[in-house]
Amino acid sequence: MEVYDYPHFNLQAAICLFTDVKNGPEIRKRIIEAATCQGEEGEALRDAVNFAFVDARLITSILHLQTAVFYALLTQSQGCLRTKTVHSEILWALNPSNNISEAIRRYGISDSTTSLLVIEISVLPSHHDKIKAIVDGTVSPFPRLSEITDWATIKKYHKLNGELAIQHLRDVATAHAMIDEIVVSTVATKSVSQ
Amino acid sequence: MATASLIADSTQIAQGAEAVSDPPSRNTTRKVYKAYIHTSFDSDAKVPILLKHRFKKQYRHPSLDANLTRARVAGEARALLRCLRSGVSVPGIRMVDATEGVLGVEWIEGKSVRMLLGGGAEGEEEQVSDSEEFFDDTTDAGGESVSHVDPLDEYQVTIDEIMGLIGSEIAKMHKADIIHGDLTTSNMIIRHPFAAKGPSPTKLVLIDFGLAYTSTLVEDKAVDLYVLERAFASTHPDSEPMLFAVLEAYKKGMYKDWTTVERRLQDVRLRGRKRSMVG
């Protein structure tokens, strides 16, 4: 778990990586339940899962996620969120297309999710225990992310298979660094992409 | 606004060495800053980024100004992304705020080709992110130069190698139909060997895509090369052999597209950058 400070937005972002997550389907069910429930009870349910849950397989580096977080904070501060909350905006920023439900399907938690990145954006993130209460998994340091990343799917989603930048690269590590750079830049330019 | 306060907290970078004594904003269209956007509470590892701010122009109507700024920031960001996807070595993008006119890109530790070739540092477009000691190397060049290390040695490159890199990067860019629009030696940075990232780092990085656009026309590519040729001739003595090396590498990168560009380049050399609209 690491906490990042964004003093210009008066907000902080806590990012936590979980591996060996066992209750993926359960979390998913909880989120859907919270979203559909109404009234005061719904408020309480929503508050308990008020985080962004991102499938760690599709994240190339922590900078990738940070860039999406920054994007979400920026659009929120300008009052032009494309989705309903700053947390869902992170998922939307990660997906190269404009389709919100596709973004959530791809980058959000699914039944097959075993490694998870949980992000909380708030004035003072203090709910380490709250996150850990929801996710049944092992908290892992960020460098472990490189073992989880699913490069083939990322290449497919970002339509990188035919691109010159990685076609000629024989060395796997160089190719991954290149993909990371392209993916991070794609997220950063989200607001001006056609 | 949030981005405005981010800029207020950032350090403006001197653009060129004489900015040490001059007020730092010689360039009248934008200012360049060094900033940190992701500060962790738990570790001290901080990665800087470079912010390029196209500030509000008082002489323009506010709504026109907003539109132009937005379009230019968006254009530059898109050109950079296109370059990245085509394998051209350019800085990665870190944030875009088109409304405020701010573009945040990867911080590149290094020196411009112009400075490495001893062309001085009075360039207005200078966007070099030198640390202090590199700075001193160039500013007091008139002093005891005996104790100074040759910057080329420090960067572990030869002039020939730099020229080869310039040629092949431009070829890659033109093959992807991207025209830089402002190819000069101050818009090319050689990464410092100690700041190199990844297993096989790219040494030469093209920067400043503020005037870039896409075009398939041979004319535009030839003019792009011609602009570089003129920049070389006006900033570096004995530029002919250097240019020859650049074009050799460019030729290799362009394969069969070279002959048409070459023919057009010869035309452009005779008539200049602007095509005559008479007749």
Side-chain angles (χ1 to χ4, degrees), chain A residues 2-6 8-9 66 74 78 158-159 163 165 181 185 192, chain B residues 2-3 5 9 37-42 78 84-85 92-94 97 197:
Chain A
E2 258 192 68
V3 183
Y4 298 92
D5 189 21
Y6 296 93
H8 312 290
F9 302 107
Q66 283 175 335
L74 190 64
Q78 295 174 332
H158 282 265
K159 302 196 174 70
E163 288 292 354
E181 197 54 80
S185 300
V192 291
Chain B
T3 313
S5 79
D9 278 357
I37 56 171
H38 308 288
T39 34
S40 169
F41 284 115
D42 309 297
R78 287 191 202 121
L84 276 173
R85 291 183 75 109
I93 308 161
R94 296 295 176 258
D97 183 346
K197 56 158 195 184

PDB file of all heavy atoms in Angstrom, chain A residues 2-6 8-9 66 74 78 158-159 163 165 181 185 192, chain B residues 2-3 5 9 37-42 78 84-85 92-94 97 197:
ATOM      1  N   GLU A   2       0.585   2.121  -0.932  1.00  0.00           N
ATOM      2  CA  GLU A   2       1.292   3.396  -0.917  1.00  0.00           C
ATOM      3  C   GLU A   2       0.297   4.535  -1.060  1.00  0.00           C
ATOM      4  O   GLU A   2      -0.703   4.404  -1.763  1.00  0.00           O
ATOM      5  CB  GLU A   2       2.340   3.446  -2.030  1.00  0.00           C
ATOM      6  CG  GLU A   2       3.734   3.194  -1.470  1.00  0.00           C
ATOM      7  CD  GLU A   2       4.847   3.515  -2.434  1.00  0.00           C
ATOM      8  OE1 GLU A   2       5.018   4.710  -2.716  1.00  0.00           O
ATOM      9  OE2 GLU A   2       5.526   2.584  -2.859  1.00  0.00           O
ATOM     10  N   VAL A   3       0.618   5.631  -0.385  1.00  0.00           N
ATOM     11  CA  VAL A   3      -0.271   6.782  -0.467  1.00  0.00           C
ATOM     12  C   VAL A   3       0.452   7.909  -1.196  1.00  0.00           C
ATOM     13  O   VAL A   3       1.599   8.226  -0.887  1.00  0.00           O
ATOM     14  CB  VAL A   3      -0.713   7.259   0.936  1.00  0.00           C
ATOM     15  CG1 VAL A   3      -1.689   8.412   0.817  1.00  0.00           C
ATOM     16  CG2 VAL A   3      -1.339   6.114   1.710  1.00  0.00           C
ATOM     17  N   TYR A   4      -0.213   8.487  -2.185  1.00  0.00           N
ATOM     18  CA  TYR A   4       0.369   9.590  -2.942  1.00  0.00           C
ATOM     19  C   TYR A   4      -0.385  10.872  -2.639  1.00  0.00           C
ATOM     20  O   TYR A   4      -1.599  10.851  -2.463  1.00  0.00           O
ATOM     21  CB  TYR A   4       0.321   9.286  -4.439  1.00  0.00           C
ATOM     22  CG  TYR A   4       1.119   8.066  -4.796  1.00  0.00           C
ATOM     23  CD1 TYR A   4       0.516   6.819  -4.844  1.00  0.00           C
ATOM     24  CD2 TYR A   4       2.480   8.152  -5.044  1.00  0.00           C
ATOM     25  CE1 TYR A   4       1.249   5.685  -5.145  1.00  0.00           C
ATOM     26  CE2 TYR A   4       3.227   7.029  -5.348  1.00  0.00           C
ATOM     27  CZ  TYR A   4       2.606   5.794  -5.393  1.00  0.00           C
ATOM     28  OH  TYR A   4       3.338   4.680  -5.681  1.00  0.00           O
ATOM     29  N   ASP A   5       0.371  11.947  -2.614  1.00  0.00           N
ATOM     30  CA  ASP A   5      -0.209  13.230  -2.271  1.00  0.00           C
ATOM     31  C   ASP A   5      -0.419  14.062  -3.534  1.00  0.00           C
ATOM     32  O   ASP A   5       0.475  14.150  -4.375  1.00  0.00           O
ATOM     33  CB  ASP A   5       0.743  13.959  -1.309  1.00  0.00           C
ATOM     34  CG  ASP A   5       0.101  15.205  -0.741  1.00  0.00           C
ATOM     35  OD1 ASP A   5      -1.145  15.275  -0.773  1.00  0.00           O
ATOM     36  OD2 ASP A   5       0.826  16.085  -0.267  1.00  0.00           O
ATOM     37  N   TYR A   6      -1.587  14.609  -3.670  1.00  0.00           N
ATOM     38  CA  TYR A   6      -1.865  15.528  -4.777  1.00  0.00           C
ATOM     39  C   TYR A   6      -2.324  16.848  -4.184  1.00  0.00           C
ATOM     40  O   TYR A   6      -3.522  17.147  -4.153  1.00  0.00           O
ATOM     41  CB  TYR A   6      -2.907  14.926  -5.719  1.00  0.00           C
ATOM     42  CG  TYR A   6      -2.395  13.675  -6.382  1.00  0.00           C
ATOM     43  CD1 TYR A   6      -2.632  12.428  -5.834  1.00  0.00           C
ATOM     44  CD2 TYR A   6      -1.618  13.761  -7.536  1.00  0.00           C
ATOM     45  CE1 TYR A   6      -2.123  11.285  -6.420  1.00  0.00           C
ATOM     46  CE2 TYR A   6      -1.099  12.625  -8.128  1.00  0.00           C
ATOM     47  CZ  TYR A   6      -1.354  11.390  -7.568  1.00  0.00           C
ATOM     48  OH  TYR A   6      -0.837  10.266  -8.150  1.00  0.00           O
ATOM     49  N   HIS A   8      -2.319  19.817  -5.091  1.00  0.00           N
ATOM     50  CA  HIS A   8      -2.992  20.808  -5.935  1.00  0.00           C
ATOM     51  C   HIS A   8      -4.467  20.507  -6.091  1.00  0.00           C
ATOM     52  O   HIS A   8      -5.250  21.356  -6.487  1.00  0.00           O
ATOM     53  CB  HIS A   8      -2.299  20.869  -7.290  1.00  0.00           C
ATOM     54  CG  HIS A   8      -0.821  20.971  -7.149  1.00  0.00           C
ATOM     55  ND1 HIS A   8      -0.210  22.101  -6.671  1.00  0.00           N
ATOM     56  CD2 HIS A   8       0.169  20.069  -7.336  1.00  0.00           C
ATOM     57  CE1 HIS A   8       1.085  21.900  -6.595  1.00  0.00           C
ATOM     58  NE2 HIS A   8       1.344  20.674  -6.990  1.00  0.00           N
ATOM     59  N   PHE A   9      -4.840  19.259  -5.810  1.00  0.00           N
ATOM     60  CA  PHE A   9      -6.257  18.916  -5.840  1.00  0.00           C
ATOM     61  C   PHE A   9      -6.821  18.807  -4.432  1.00  0.00           C
ATOM     62  O   PHE A   9      -7.994  18.511  -4.256  1.00  0.00           O
ATOM     63  CB  PHE A   9      -6.451  17.574  -6.550  1.00  0.00           C
ATOM     64  CG  PHE A   9      -5.924  17.557  -7.952  1.00  0.00           C
ATOM     65  CD1 PHE A   9      -4.760  16.874  -8.263  1.00  0.00           C
ATOM     66  CD2 PHE A   9      -6.597  18.223  -8.958  1.00  0.00           C
ATOM     67  CE1 PHE A   9      -4.278  16.863  -9.551  1.00  0.00           C
ATOM     68  CE2 PHE A   9      -6.120  18.203 -10.254  1.00  0.00           C
ATOM     69  CZ  PHE A   9      -4.948  17.533 -10.553  1.00  0.00           C
ATOM     70  N   GLN A  66      -0.864   5.502 -12.006  1.00  0.00           N
ATOM     71  CA  GLN A  66      -0.763   6.875 -11.495  1.00  0.00           C
ATOM     72  C   GLN A  66      -1.249   7.885 -12.518  1.00  0.00           C
ATOM     73  O   GLN A  66      -1.918   8.862 -12.178  1.00  0.00           O
ATOM     74  CB  GLN A  66       0.687   7.197 -11.155  1.00  0.00           C
ATOM     75  CG  GLN A  66       1.169   6.595  -9.859  1.00  0.00           C
ATOM     76  CD  GLN A  66       2.650   6.856  -9.658  1.00  0.00           C
ATOM     77  OE1 GLN A  66       3.386   7.058 -10.624  1.00  0.00           O
ATOM     78  NE2 GLN A  66       3.082   6.855  -8.415  1.00  0.00           N
ATOM     79  N   LEU A  74      -7.753  15.358 -12.382  1.00  0.00           N
ATOM     80  CA  LEU A  74      -7.777  16.585 -13.182  1.00  0.00           C
ATOM     81  C   LEU A  74      -9.165  16.837 -13.751  1.00  0.00           C
ATOM     82  O   LEU A  74      -9.694  17.951 -13.639  1.00  0.00           O
ATOM     83  CB  LEU A  74      -6.741  16.473 -14.310  1.00  0.00           C
ATOM     84  CG  LEU A  74      -6.452  17.727 -15.095  1.00  0.00           C
ATOM     85  CD1 LEU A  74      -5.825  18.782 -14.199  1.00  0.00           C
ATOM     86  CD2 LEU A  74      -5.497  17.409 -16.245  1.00  0.00           C
ATOM     87  N   GLN A  78     -11.972  19.862 -12.873  1.00  0.00           N
ATOM     88  CA  GLN A  78     -12.528  20.767 -13.884  1.00  0.00           C
ATOM     89  C   GLN A  78     -14.019  20.562 -14.057  1.00  0.00           C
ATOM     90  O   GLN A  78     -14.648  21.196 -14.912  1.00  0.00           O
ATOM     91  CB  GLN A  78     -11.807  20.547 -15.220  1.00  0.00           C
ATOM     92  CG  GLN A  78     -10.349  20.922 -15.140  1.00  0.00           C
ATOM     93  CD  GLN A  78      -9.599  20.576 -16.394  1.00  0.00           C
ATOM     94  OE1 GLN A  78      -9.965  19.646 -17.102  1.00  0.00           O
ATOM     95  NE2 GLN A  78      -8.544  21.308 -16.667  1.00  0.00           N
ATOM     96  N   HIS A 158      -4.752  -2.276 -26.992  1.00  0.00           N
ATOM     97  CA  HIS A 158      -4.230  -1.002 -27.477  1.00  0.00           C
ATOM     98  C   HIS A 158      -3.896  -1.048 -28.958  1.00  0.00           C
ATOM     99  O   HIS A 158      -3.300  -0.121 -29.486  1.00  0.00           O
ATOM    100  CB  HIS A 158      -3.003  -0.585 -26.663  1.00  0.00           C
ATOM    101  CG  HIS A 158      -3.356  -0.006 -25.336  1.00  0.00           C
ATOM    102  ND1 HIS A 158      -3.471   1.340 -25.116  1.00  0.00           N
ATOM    103  CD2 HIS A 158      -3.654  -0.592 -24.163  1.00  0.00           C
ATOM    104  CE1 HIS A 158      -3.818   1.554 -23.857  1.00  0.00           C
ATOM    105  NE2 HIS A 158      -3.926   0.404 -23.253  1.00  0.00           N
ATOM    106  N   LYS A 159      -4.240  -2.133 -29.617  1.00  0.00           N
ATOM    107  CA  LYS A 159      -3.999  -2.317 -31.060  1.00  0.00           C
ATOM    108  C   LYS A 159      -2.534  -2.055 -31.410  1.00  0.00           C
ATOM    109  O   LYS A 159      -2.202  -1.259 -32.292  1.00  0.00           O
ATOM    110  CB  LYS A 159      -4.899  -1.377 -31.867  1.00  0.00           C
ATOM    111  CG  LYS A 159      -6.377  -1.585 -31.593  1.00  0.00           C
ATOM    112  CD  LYS A 159      -7.213  -0.928 -32.676  1.00  0.00           C
ATOM    113  CE  LYS A 159      -8.684  -1.229 -32.515  1.00  0.00           C
ATOM    114  NZ  LYS A 159      -9.303  -0.564 -31.337  1.00  0.00           N
ATOM    115  N   GLU A 163       2.033  -2.301 -34.897  1.00  0.00           N
ATOM    116  CA  GLU A 163       2.774  -1.046 -34.832  1.00  0.00           C
ATOM    117  C   GLU A 163       4.276  -1.236 -35.024  1.00  0.00           C
ATOM    118  O   GLU A 163       4.870  -2.188 -34.517  1.00  0.00           O
ATOM    119  CB  GLU A 163       2.518  -0.348 -33.491  1.00  0.00           C
ATOM    120  CG  GLU A 163       1.127   0.247 -33.365  1.00  0.00           C
ATOM    121  CD  GLU A 163       0.881   1.432 -34.277  1.00  0.00           C
ATOM    122  OE1 GLU A 163       1.822   1.889 -34.955  1.00  0.00           O
ATOM    123  OE2 GLU A 163      -0.267   1.900 -34.319  1.00  0.00           O
ATOM    124  N   ALA A 165       6.662   0.384 -33.785  1.00  0.00           N
ATOM    125  CA  ALA A 165       7.480   0.606 -32.594  1.00  0.00           C
ATOM    126  C   ALA A 165       7.928  -0.703 -31.962  1.00  0.00           C
ATOM    127  O   ALA A 165       9.034  -0.800 -31.440  1.00  0.00           O
ATOM    128  CB  ALA A 165       6.699   1.430 -31.578  1.00  0.00           C
ATOM    129  N   GLU A 181       5.585   2.646 -22.304  1.00  0.00           N
ATOM    130  CA  GLU A 181       5.659   4.060 -22.658  1.00  0.00           C
ATOM    131  C   GLU A 181       4.452   4.472 -23.499  1.00  0.00           C
ATOM    132  O   GLU A 181       3.848   5.522 -23.265  1.00  0.00           O
ATOM    133  CB  GLU A 181       6.973   4.318 -23.422  1.00  0.00           C
ATOM    134  CG  GLU A 181       7.382   5.766 -23.508  1.00  0.00           C
ATOM    135  CD  GLU A 181       7.464   6.456 -22.147  1.00  0.00           C
ATOM    136  OE1 GLU A 181       8.464   6.283 -21.428  1.00  0.00           O
ATOM    137  OE2 GLU A 181       6.505   7.170 -21.829  1.00  0.00           O
ATOM    138  N   SER A 185       1.382   6.985 -22.236  1.00  0.00           N
ATOM    139  CA  SER A 185       1.099   8.189 -23.009  1.00  0.00           C
ATOM    140  C   SER A 185      -0.325   8.202 -23.529  1.00  0.00           C
ATOM    141  O   SER A 185      -0.945   9.257 -23.625  1.00  0.00           O
ATOM    142  CB  SER A 185       2.081   8.307 -24.174  1.00  0.00           C
ATOM    143  OG  SER A 185       3.395   8.381 -23.689  1.00  0.00           O
ATOM    144  N   VAL A 192      -7.603  14.479 -24.999  1.00  0.00           N
ATOM    145  CA  VAL A 192      -7.550  15.085 -26.327  1.00  0.00           C
ATOM    146  C   VAL A 192      -7.587  14.040 -27.443  1.00  0.00           C
ATOM    147  O   VAL A 192      -7.383  14.361 -28.607  1.00  0.00           O
ATOM    148  CB  VAL A 192      -6.296  15.976 -26.508  1.00  0.00           C
ATOM    149  CG1 VAL A 192      -6.401  17.206 -25.650  1.00  0.00           C
ATOM    150  CG2 VAL A 192      -5.024  15.220 -26.230  1.00  0.00           C
TER     151      VAL A 192
ATOM    152  N   ALA B   2      -6.445  23.691 -10.503  1.00  0.00           N
ATOM    153  CA  ALA B   2      -5.433  22.770  -9.992  1.00  0.00           C
ATOM    154  C   ALA B   2      -4.129  22.859 -10.782  1.00  0.00           C
ATOM    155  O   ALA B   2      -3.042  22.902 -10.202  1.00  0.00           O
ATOM    156  CB  ALA B   2      -5.976  21.350 -10.047  1.00  0.00           C
ATOM    157  N   THR B   3      -4.240  22.920 -12.108  1.00  0.00           N
ATOM    158  CA  THR B   3      -3.023  22.944 -12.907  1.00  0.00           C
ATOM    159  C   THR B   3      -2.250  24.235 -12.688  1.00  0.00           C
ATOM    160  O   THR B   3      -1.025  24.242 -12.673  1.00  0.00           O
ATOM    161  CB  THR B   3      -3.352  22.783 -14.402  1.00  0.00           C
ATOM    162  OG1 THR B   3      -4.275  21.701 -14.531  1.00  0.00           O
ATOM    163  CG2 THR B   3      -2.124  22.468 -15.192  1.00  0.00           C
ATOM    164  N   SER B   5      -2.066  25.911  -9.942  1.00  0.00           N
ATOM    165  CA  SER B   5      -1.320  25.846  -8.686  1.00  0.00           C
ATOM    166  C   SER B   5      -0.151  24.868  -8.799  1.00  0.00           C
ATOM    167  O   SER B   5       0.871  25.029  -8.134  1.00  0.00           O
ATOM    168  CB  SER B   5      -2.241  25.469  -7.531  1.00  0.00           C
ATOM    169  OG  SER B   5      -2.510  24.100  -7.509  1.00  0.00           O
ATOM    170  N   ASP B   9       3.876  25.890  -8.166  1.00  0.00           N
ATOM    171  CA  ASP B   9       4.787  25.163  -7.291  1.00  0.00           C
ATOM    172  C   ASP B   9       5.997  24.600  -8.025  1.00  0.00           C
ATOM    173  O   ASP B   9       6.856  23.965  -7.427  1.00  0.00           O
ATOM    174  CB  ASP B   9       4.045  23.988  -6.625  1.00  0.00           C
ATOM    175  CG  ASP B   9       3.259  24.464  -5.425  1.00  0.00           C
ATOM    176  OD1 ASP B   9       3.352  25.658  -5.121  1.00  0.00           O
ATOM    177  OD2 ASP B   9       2.578  23.637  -4.810  1.00  0.00           O
ATOM    178  N   ILE B  37       4.578  15.323 -10.101  1.00  0.00           N
ATOM    179  CA  ILE B  37       3.127  15.196  -9.944  1.00  0.00           C
ATOM    180  C   ILE B  37       2.695  14.030  -9.069  1.00  0.00           C
ATOM    181  O   ILE B  37       1.588  14.013  -8.587  1.00  0.00           O
ATOM    182  CB  ILE B  37       2.371  15.161 -11.298  1.00  0.00           C
ATOM    183  CG1 ILE B  37       2.875  14.064 -12.214  1.00  0.00           C
ATOM    184  CG2 ILE B  37       2.432  16.506 -11.974  1.00  0.00           C
ATOM    185  CD1 ILE B  37       1.993  13.904 -13.448  1.00  0.00           C
ATOM    186  N   HIS B  38       3.542  13.040  -8.880  1.00  0.00           N
ATOM    187  CA  HIS B  38       3.129  11.937  -8.000  1.00  0.00           C
ATOM    188  C   HIS B  38       4.092  11.872  -6.833  1.00  0.00           C
ATOM    189  O   HIS B  38       5.137  11.246  -6.916  1.00  0.00           O
ATOM    190  CB  HIS B  38       3.150  10.595  -8.727  1.00  0.00           C
ATOM    191  CG  HIS B  38       2.392  10.605 -10.005  1.00  0.00           C
ATOM    192  ND1 HIS B  38       1.026  10.651 -10.050  1.00  0.00           N
ATOM    193  CD2 HIS B  38       2.795  10.588 -11.293  1.00  0.00           C
ATOM    194  CE1 HIS B  38       0.621  10.657 -11.308  1.00  0.00           C
ATOM    195  NE2 HIS B  38       1.679  10.628 -12.080  1.00  0.00           N
ATOM    196  N   THR B  39       3.772  12.532  -5.736  1.00  0.00           N
ATOM    197  CA  THR B  39       4.680  12.479  -4.592  1.00  0.00           C
ATOM    198  C   THR B  39       4.165  11.452  -3.596  1.00  0.00           C
ATOM    199  O   THR B  39       3.029  11.515  -3.150  1.00  0.00           O
ATOM    200  CB  THR B  39       4.824  13.844  -3.919  1.00  0.00           C
ATOM    201  OG1 THR B  39       3.566  14.509  -4.011  1.00  0.00           O
ATOM    202  CG2 THR B  39       5.878  14.678  -4.598  1.00  0.00           C
ATOM    203  N   SER B  40       5.036  10.512  -3.283  1.00  0.00           N
ATOM    204  CA  SER B  40       4.662   9.442  -2.376  1.00  0.00           C
ATOM    205  C   SER B  40       4.998   9.835  -0.947  1.00  0.00           C
ATOM    206  O   SER B  40       5.997  10.499  -0.692  1.00  0.00           O
ATOM    207  CB  SER B  40       5.409   8.170  -2.760  1.00  0.00           C
ATOM    208  OG  SER B  40       5.252   7.216  -1.745  1.00  0.00           O
ATOM    209  N   PHE B  41       4.165   9.415  -0.002  1.00  0.00           N
ATOM    210  CA  PHE B  41       4.451   9.652   1.413  1.00  0.00           C
ATOM    211  C   PHE B  41       5.463   8.644   1.933  1.00  0.00           C
ATOM    212  O   PHE B  41       6.117   8.858   2.929  1.00  0.00           O
ATOM    213  CB  PHE B  41       3.171   9.550   2.245  1.00  0.00           C
ATOM    214  CG  PHE B  41       2.303  10.756   2.113  1.00  0.00           C
ATOM    215  CD1 PHE B  41       1.052  10.660   1.530  1.00  0.00           C
ATOM    216  CD2 PHE B  41       2.731  11.984   2.580  1.00  0.00           C
ATOM    217  CE1 PHE B  41       0.250  11.780   1.415  1.00  0.00           C
ATOM    218  CE2 PHE B  41       1.927  13.103   2.473  1.00  0.00           C
ATOM    219  CZ  PHE B  41       0.685  12.994   1.889  1.00  0.00           C
ATOM    220  N   ASP B  42       5.543   7.498   1.240  1.00  0.00           N
ATOM    221  CA  ASP B  42       6.296   6.390   1.811  1.00  0.00           C
ATOM    222  C   ASP B  42       7.714   6.267   1.280  1.00  0.00           C
ATOM    223  O   ASP B  42       8.551   5.618   1.872  1.00  0.00           O
ATOM    224  CB  ASP B  42       5.546   5.086   1.556  1.00  0.00           C
ATOM    225  CG  ASP B  42       4.099   5.201   2.001  1.00  0.00           C
ATOM    226  OD1 ASP B  42       3.889   5.402   3.191  1.00  0.00           O
ATOM    227  OD2 ASP B  42       3.209   5.123   1.138  1.00  0.00           O
ATOM    228  N   ARG B  78      -1.004  14.666 -29.715  1.00  0.00           N
ATOM    229  CA  ARG B  78      -1.310  13.619 -30.696  1.00  0.00           C
ATOM    230  C   ARG B  78      -0.096  13.285 -31.547  1.00  0.00           C
ATOM    231  O   ARG B  78       0.168  12.119 -31.849  1.00  0.00           O
ATOM    232  CB  ARG B  78      -2.456  14.065 -31.597  1.00  0.00           C
ATOM    233  CG  ARG B  78      -3.777  14.036 -30.888  1.00  0.00           C
ATOM    234  CD  ARG B  78      -4.919  14.232 -31.863  1.00  0.00           C
ATOM    235  NE  ARG B  78      -6.084  14.706 -31.131  1.00  0.00           N
ATOM    236  CZ  ARG B  78      -6.696  15.846 -31.391  1.00  0.00           C
ATOM    237  NH1 ARG B  78      -6.292  16.620 -32.366  1.00  0.00           N
ATOM    238  NH2 ARG B  78      -7.733  16.205 -30.676  1.00  0.00           N
ATOM    239  N   LEU B  84       5.453   7.935 -30.924  1.00  0.00           N
ATOM    240  CA  LEU B  84       5.739   6.815 -30.024  1.00  0.00           C
ATOM    241  C   LEU B  84       5.294   5.507 -30.650  1.00  0.00           C
ATOM    242  O   LEU B  84       6.017   4.514 -30.641  1.00  0.00           O
ATOM    243  CB  LEU B  84       4.995   7.011 -28.704  1.00  0.00           C
ATOM    244  CG  LEU B  84       5.632   7.889 -27.652  1.00  0.00           C
ATOM    245  CD1 LEU B  84       4.663   8.098 -26.515  1.00  0.00           C
ATOM    246  CD2 LEU B  84       6.914   7.261 -27.129  1.00  0.00           C
ATOM    247  N   ARG B  85       4.096   5.521 -31.207  1.00  0.00           N
ATOM    248  CA  ARG B  85       3.555   4.295 -31.796  1.00  0.00           C
ATOM    249  C   ARG B  85       4.314   3.884 -33.037  1.00  0.00           C
ATOM    250  O   ARG B  85       4.278   2.719 -33.435  1.00  0.00           O
ATOM    251  CB  ARG B  85       2.064   4.468 -32.113  1.00  0.00           C
ATOM    252  CG  ARG B  85       1.195   4.566 -30.879  1.00  0.00           C
ATOM    253  CD  ARG B  85      -0.264   4.662 -31.246  1.00  0.00           C
ATOM    254  NE  ARG B  85      -0.795   3.378 -31.669  1.00  0.00           N
ATOM    255  CZ  ARG B  85      -1.662   2.654 -30.944  1.00  0.00           C
ATOM    256  NH1 ARG B  85      -2.093   3.109 -29.813  1.00  0.00           N
ATOM    257  NH2 ARG B  85      -2.102   1.502 -31.386  1.00  0.00           N
ATOM    258  N   GLY B  92       7.919  10.515 -23.607  1.00  0.00           N
ATOM    259  CA  GLY B  92       6.574  10.014 -23.323  1.00  0.00           C
ATOM    260  C   GLY B  92       5.721  11.111 -22.714  1.00  0.00           C
ATOM    261  O   GLY B  92       6.234  12.061 -22.136  1.00  0.00           O
ATOM    262  N   ILE B  93       4.401  10.975 -22.840  1.00  0.00           N
ATOM    263  CA  ILE B  93       3.499  12.005 -22.325  1.00  0.00           C
ATOM    264  C   ILE B  93       3.047  11.604 -20.924  1.00  0.00           C
ATOM    265  O   ILE B  93       2.797  10.434 -20.658  1.00  0.00           O
ATOM    266  CB  ILE B  93       2.277  12.174 -23.249  1.00  0.00           C
ATOM    267  CG1 ILE B  93       2.755  12.377 -24.684  1.00  0.00           C
ATOM    268  CG2 ILE B  93       1.420  13.343 -22.815  1.00  0.00           C
ATOM    269  CD1 ILE B  93       1.696  12.114 -25.702  1.00  0.00           C
ATOM    270  N   ARG B  94       2.967  12.577 -20.026  1.00  0.00           N
ATOM    271  CA  ARG B  94       2.585  12.274 -18.648  1.00  0.00           C
ATOM    272  C   ARG B  94       1.258  12.897 -18.245  1.00  0.00           C
ATOM    273  O   ARG B  94       0.542  12.368 -17.425  1.00  0.00           O
ATOM    274  CB  ARG B  94       3.693  12.738 -17.687  1.00  0.00           C
ATOM    275  CG  ARG B  94       5.003  12.007 -17.864  1.00  0.00           C
ATOM    276  CD  ARG B  94       4.869  10.531 -17.506  1.00  0.00           C
ATOM    277  NE  ARG B  94       6.103   9.812 -17.754  1.00  0.00           N
ATOM    278  CZ  ARG B  94       6.333   9.036 -18.804  1.00  0.00           C
ATOM    279  NH1 ARG B  94       5.385   8.866 -19.702  1.00  0.00           N
ATOM    280  NH2 ARG B  94       7.478   8.432 -18.969  1.00  0.00           N
ATOM    281  N   ASP B  97      -3.422  19.004 -20.055  1.00  0.00           N
ATOM    282  CA  ASP B  97      -4.548  19.827 -19.646  1.00  0.00           C
ATOM    283  C   ASP B  97      -4.723  20.889 -20.727  1.00  0.00           C
ATOM    284  O   ASP B  97      -4.117  21.951 -20.683  1.00  0.00           O
ATOM    285  CB  ASP B  97      -4.281  20.460 -18.273  1.00  0.00           C
ATOM    286  CG  ASP B  97      -5.485  21.271 -17.787  1.00  0.00           C
ATOM    287  OD1 ASP B  97      -6.379  21.541 -18.608  1.00  0.00           O
ATOM    288  OD2 ASP B  97      -5.521  21.616 -16.607  1.00  0.00           O
ATOM    289  N   LYS B 197      17.501   4.860 -19.566  1.00  0.00           N
ATOM    290  CA  LYS B 197      16.569   3.901 -18.957  1.00  0.00           C
ATOM    291  C   LYS B 197      16.446   2.686 -19.869  1.00  0.00           C
ATOM    292  O   LYS B 197      16.711   2.750 -21.055  1.00  0.00           O
ATOM    293  CB  LYS B 197      15.209   4.557 -18.761  1.00  0.00           C
ATOM    294  CG  LYS B 197      14.649   5.119 -20.059  1.00  0.00           C
ATOM    295  CD  LYS B 197      13.176   5.286 -20.025  1.00  0.00           C
ATOM    296  CE  LYS B 197      12.653   5.489 -21.462  1.00  0.00           C
ATOM    297  NZ  LYS B 197      11.258   5.738 -21.530  1.00  0.00           N
TER     298      LYS B 197
END
